[in-house]
Amino acid sequence: MTARFPGLVVADWRTRLVHDHRRLFPNARVHEASAGPALASVGWPNVPDGWRDLVETACRRLESAVAAEPDAELVVLDMKEKYGGLRLDIGAMNLGDEARDAVRLAVDLAEARSTHVCDVCGRLGRLWERGGWYATRCEEHSEGHEPVRSRYRDIELSVRIVDGKVVRTARRYVVETDTFEPFPLPIDEEE
């Protein structure tokens, strides 16, 4: 049982995540289910078990990003698998520039990492496709999928307007360090 939700037995990692990250899931409520009291929330982590560690890391990073801003509001609106990767939608209010950048980085890292973590077992994997369906799996769990091949799989391009000028940047996700590093733009992208 938990102090916040009397009568709730926390057996599932998703329930524990929502319970432990109250700031990210402020509207969590207990409802009666056939198996007894259950927790429900907007943004419920509707993701495979293999992504448990990366989702928990993302939630810790999100809370850390706004820890120094007591007026900041940060809510997980949606957390799901889509096209073989994690999609994490966040609602935010009253964030300073530094916190906003840290939140964006936490989301970007989680989404990038998800395409390298088997959604079944949590080991390192890759993106696979079968009949238009995508999944991130290790070799053992690839189940007849074909590997998706792309030279630019971990490259993210962005275009921003800064002081009236178009600024293009690129970065590459580095699996080994769970970070992004700058990536040189193709010649035709440079100004």
Side-chain angles (χ1 to χ4, degrees):
M1 290 212 275
T2 67
R4 181 174 179 209
F5 302 108
L8 178 68
V9 177
V10 180
D12 180 69
W13 70 267
R14 291 168 187 84
T15 302
R16 172 62 58 199
L17 181 88
V18 170
H19 179 270
D20 290 350
H21 294 279
R22 295 176 180 127
R23 190 170 188 179
L24 301 176
F25 302 95
N27 65 351
R29 302 286 182 266
V30 173
H31 66 92
E32 283 302 317
S34 59
L39 193 60
S41 177
V42 169
W44 185 264
N46 188 19
V47 297
D49 287 339
W51 288 349
R52 176 183 180 173
D53 287 342
L54 78 88
V55 166
E56 289 174 345
T57 297
C59 287
R60 284 192 303 274
R61 285 176 172 166
L62 289 168
E63 287 208 356
S64 177
V66 296
E69 298 195 24
D71 294 332
E73 294 181 40
L74 192 64
V75 178
V76 175
L77 299 173
D78 196 16
M79 186 184 305
K80 64 185 175 190
E81 178 278 333
K82 188 168 186 179
Y83 300 117
L86 176 69
R87 294 300 175 267
L88 184 55
D89 295 324
I90 302 294
M93 291 178 54
N94 303 324
L95 298 184
D97 292 342
E98 189 175 319
R100 187 174 40 257
D101 291 345
V103 165
R104 182 77 255 154
L105 180 60
V107 170
D108 290 349
L109 286 169
E111 290 180 349
R113 182 99 185 141
S114 71
T115 62
H116 293 277
V117 174
C118 178
D119 64 9
V120 175
C121 67
R123 293 190 308 246
L124 282 180
R126 60 174 302 156
L127 196 59
W128 300 79
E129 184 266 339
R130 179 173 63 194
W133 292 95
Y134 293 87
T136 301
R137 303 278 168 87
C138 63
E139 290 281 338
E140 180 183 339
H141 294 113
S142 63
E143 302 168 352
H145 287 71
E146 293 294 321
V148 174
R149 301 188 193 289
S150 171
R151 293 187 320 172
Y152 302 106
R153 177 173 151 217
D154 293 322
I155 308 300
E156 178 184 285
L157 300 172
S158 67
V159 179
R160 297 178 298 141
I161 305 296
V162 178
D163 296 327
K165 292 184 176 182
V166 175
V167 177
R168 293 179 176 91
T169 59
R171 63 185 181 175
R172 179 176 74 89
Y173 177 71
V174 182
V175 178
E176 297 79 15
T177 58
D178 192 30
T179 59
F180 289 102
E181 66 181 21
F183 187 81
L185 289 170
I187 292 172
D188 62 351
E189 287 289 324
E190 294 178 359
E191 294 187 344

